[in-house]
Every structure is written in structure tokens, then in C-alpha cells.
Amino acid sequence: MKVESGPRLVSLDVFRGITIAFMILVNSPGNETAYPSLDHAAWNGLTPTDWVFPFFVFIVGVSLVFSIGRRLERGDSRADILRQVAKRSLIIFALGLVLNGFPYYHVSIIRIPGVLQRIAICYAAASVFFLYANVPVQVAALAILLGGYGWLMTHVGAPGFLAGDLSKEGNLAAFVDRTVFGRHLYRPVYDPEGILSTVPAVATALIGALAGTWLRSAKPPWQKVSGMLSAALVLGLVGWKWSATFPINKALWSSSYVCVTGALALTLLSGCYASVEIMNWRSWSKPFEVFGLNAIAAYFLHVFFLKVQNLWPWPRLDGTMGNFRTSLTDHLFGTWMSPENASLCYAVAYMLLWLAALSWLYRRKTFIRI
């Protein structure tokens, strides 16, 4: 496929920024009562909150096509690029371990999987596919990853459970994680970012890489939009059909979940591309561009300082001892709002605080890269 070189794709930064902003909202409830629309599905199902992580993995796939593609065009060798990819992946993985262990770093129970760890693995795997496989091979790999994972999860049983058991404890992915990681998990019996469920997450990154290849092509702009929307329609229909036998489930990163969230990601990216790149409607997008250009910093720092707040004992309005975050929510919003709305207002305020901090970096053209 013929490709074109050009300036940075601002619409991709905007899409990344939208995802990061919503991720901060989701991760930052002000108290124990999450605002309903900012909560994950209990198990099977899909809420807007469940879109966030696969969107980010999808964006990683799109981005690597542009960054690696530019390096290939200027003559860098694949071996050199692969070394850089490996180094970057290891740093991202290590940052995830730093967050997981903070502040006590109990080696006996520290969680090994995590959000940044999964991003690191997906980035590395999708980069290898982009470097060494053409588009038909990438499409075939996508189908094999999703089909193979779907077959394993619905036809191979964990010891002591029936084949096709997709409960929290009985599914095959949970068994693998308990066997390999023992106590180093997010939940007692499973981890939503575990080993086996990372396989379909790589497929999410591959969908992004294929979208990136399409966007780098010399096709007319509106054809790029229609192509992504057509792919979204196909993926959405496949995911809807697949969900009858392998339900949409974020914790399992089910094959149907990959297809449906991939369709949603393609749709939103199409909208960003059309409005920002084609119609040049950019007045609304600047705050999201600010988030998008410092995405890893925004993720790491907002989680780190949430954990810092949780370390400070602080009295709550009812006299019980809480932490700084819950106490601040109580005193600022709890006296005149329901617990759900107070939780939401804290999350919005926290997101706006990070927007202000990142805007300061943006004005100074300081972009933290790994």
C-alpha cells in the first residue's frame, strides 16, 4: 500500500487525550461510591468505562505505525528499531511495577500484571508484526489470535471446572494466572490483565496498527473515514454475533469485547479525523490535545498521586477516619451532594487539575517521552 508522509496527526493526539481524560475520571472516584456511569460492568456486559483501556491499546497500535513508519522512511534498520521498541517496552513495564508496588513494595504479594504492563506487551508484539509482516499476514494473525483465544476459553476447562466455564474463578485464564502468579494478582482468584487475556489484547493493538496503516496510505481523506467506518460496522456485527457464545467481558478481554470496542474505537477515531484533519474544527480539541501529547505522564502521575492521597489519614465528616481524598470529597462536596455526585465532582476536579498541570507543560513545549 502506498503511504504518504506528513505532519503529526493531531486527531490521533486528540483521540488519545479524550481517552486519557476519561481514564482519569474513571480511576478517580472521590469516595467508595462510584458514579454509576463511571463504573465497570460487574462481569459480562459493557459500560462506557469499559471502553477506556481497549481504546488506549488501540491507540498504541495506531501510533506505532506512524512512529516506526517514519523511522523506516529515514533509513533506520529494523534491528535498531526493534532494540528501541524492546527498551521502551521494558521501561513501560517497569513503571507499571513501580505503580503496583507503591508505597510498600511487598515482594511476596506485589501484583505483577497491570495496565502499563499490558500496554508494554501489546506495543512490543504489535511492533514486531508491523515491522516483519505485511497487511494480509497481520489480518490473519488478528483472526488467529481472536479465534484461538475464543476456542480455548470456551472449549478447554480449567482443572476442577467444566469446559466453557466463564465465571470469575472457573475460567481458563484465571486458572493460568493463579498457577503462574499465585498471590501476585489484582483479585483473589483472577487478574483482569493476566497472561492469557493479553493474547486478545494484542489483537486490539493489531486493529489499531491496521487502522494506522490505512491512515498513512495515500487514499483521499474522506475515503479513509468511510473505510474506518466500514471496518467498524463489520467488527461490530462480528462482536455482536460472537457475544452469543463468548460474552462481552472486559476482565476476560473476550474476543467479542475486542471486536465491539475495536468498532467503537474506529468510529471515534473517524470522527476525530474528519473534524480535526478534514474540516479543521479544532477549537474544541485543544484540551484533549494537551492530554494526548503527555499521555504516559498523565496516566502515571494521576495514579501515583491518588495513591499518595490514600496514604494520609484524615477525618471525615461523620468523625470516622478516612484518607485525604475521601475527606476532601466530604468537605468540598459531601455537605450538599449525594455520595455519587460528590464522587463525580471530585473526579472532574482532579481531571481538571491535571489538565492545568499538563497545559503548563504544553505551553513550554515539554512532552515527556519514553
Side-chain angles (χ1 to χ4, degrees):
M1 181 182 294
K2 183 180 178 182
V3 299
E4 59 180 13
S5 298
R8 188 178 184 92
L9 197 68
V10 177
S11 56
L12 182 59
D13 295 328
V14 171
F15 182 26
R16 188 187 299 108
I18 292 171
T19 303
I20 284 293
F22 195 56
M23 183 179 284
I24 294 174
L25 286 177
V26 166
N27 288 345
S28 312
N31 52 40
E32 300 84 356
T33 309
Y35 193 75
S37 298
L38 298 181
D39 209 359
H40 291 287
W43 188 242
N44 293 333
L46 190 70
T47 73
T49 299
D50 297 316
W51 303 359
V52 175
F53 194 9
F55 279 15
F56 203 83
V57 176
F58 170 89
I59 291 165
V60 167
V62 180
S63 300
L64 69 87
V65 171
F66 283 86
S67 60
I68 294 177
R70 283 192 291 267
R71 293 193 62 182
L72 289 172
E73 287 172 356
R74 70 176 184 237
D76 292 0
S77 71
R78 283 177 167 80
D80 286 342
I81 295 172
L82 194 58
R83 279 191 288 272
Q84 180 62 31
V85 166
K87 178 181 176 181
R88 188 167 188 251
S89 300
L90 288 172
I91 292 172
I92 294 172
F93 196 99
L95 288 174
L97 291 177
V98 169
L99 279 182
N100 283 0
F102 182 81
Y104 303 113
Y105 298 101
H106 295 307
V107 176
S108 61
I109 59 172
I110 187 173
R111 182 191 178 200
I112 296 174
V115 170
L116 290 178
Q117 292 90 317
R118 173 162 287 181
I119 288 171
I121 294 169
C122 291
Y123 165 68
S127 295
V128 171
F129 275 110
F130 178 68
L131 280 168
Y132 296 102
N134 58 25
V135 168
V137 172
Q138 291 176 41
V139 172
L142 171 63
I144 291 169
L145 290 173
L146 293 182
Y149 178 69
W151 187 89
L152 282 174
M153 292 295 287
T154 55
H155 289 82
V156 178
F161 298 91
L162 295 175
D165 187 334
L166 298 176
S167 64
K168 293 180 180 180
E169 184 175 4
N171 73 82
L172 181 64
F175 167 74
V176 170
D177 292 336
R178 290 195 301 271
T179 302
V180 175
F181 293 129
R183 299 171 64 195
H184 301 271
L185 299 174
Y186 186 61
R187 303 289 186 193
V189 297
Y190 75 97
D191 197 297
E193 282 79 52
I195 295 172
L196 196 56
S197 61
T198 298
V199 171
V202 171
T204 297
L206 278 178
I207 294 172
L210 290 166
T213 300
W214 178 252
L215 285 172
R216 286 194 82 232
S217 72
K219 303 288 185 184
W222 281 113
Q223 187 177 345
K224 294 178 182 179
V225 172
S226 64
M228 287 191 290
L229 291 176
S230 297
L233 178 61
V234 171
L235 275 175
L237 290 173
V238 170
W240 170 74
K241 184 68 175 177
W242 211 334
S243 67
T245 55
F246 194 7
I248 296 170
N249 186 300
K250 177 192 176 292
L252 298 177
W253 212 278
S254 62
S255 302
S256 57
Y257 174 76
V258 172
C259 293
V260 170
T261 54
L264 291 167
L266 283 165
T267 302
L268 186 53
L269 179 57
S270 298
C272 290
Y273 183 82
S275 62
V276 174
E277 309 293 346
I278 300 176
M279 294 181 284
N280 203 32
W281 294 348
R282 301 193 177 194
S283 58
W284 64 275
S285 65
K286 186 59 69 176
F288 301 114
E289 188 180 348
V290 168
F291 273 121
L293 286 169
N294 266 311
I296 290 292
Y299 177 80
F300 183 91
L301 291 173
H302 96 268
V303 173
F304 180 83
F305 283 103
L306 281 174
K307 291 193 168 196
V308 169
Q309 291 177 69
N310 292 341
L311 292 174
W312 294 349
W314 214 272
R316 303 189 66 170
L317 284 178
D318 61 5
T320 62
M321 187 59 65
N323 57 52
F324 181 78
R325 175 163 54 108
T326 55
S327 179
L328 187 65
T329 302
D330 281 358
H331 286 85
L332 290 180
F333 308 113
T335 56
W336 55 288
M337 289 184 176
S338 68
E340 293 86 355
N341 288 333
S343 177
L344 173 63
C345 283
Y346 171 87
V348 171
Y350 191 63
M351 184 266 290
L352 292 175
L353 179 67
W354 283 110
L355 175 59
L358 294 173
S359 295
W360 182 82
L361 293 177
Y362 179 87
R363 288 192 297 271
R364 284 154 181 77
K365 300 187 184 303
T366 302
F367 307 115
I368 299 172
R369 300 280 187 261
I370 293 174

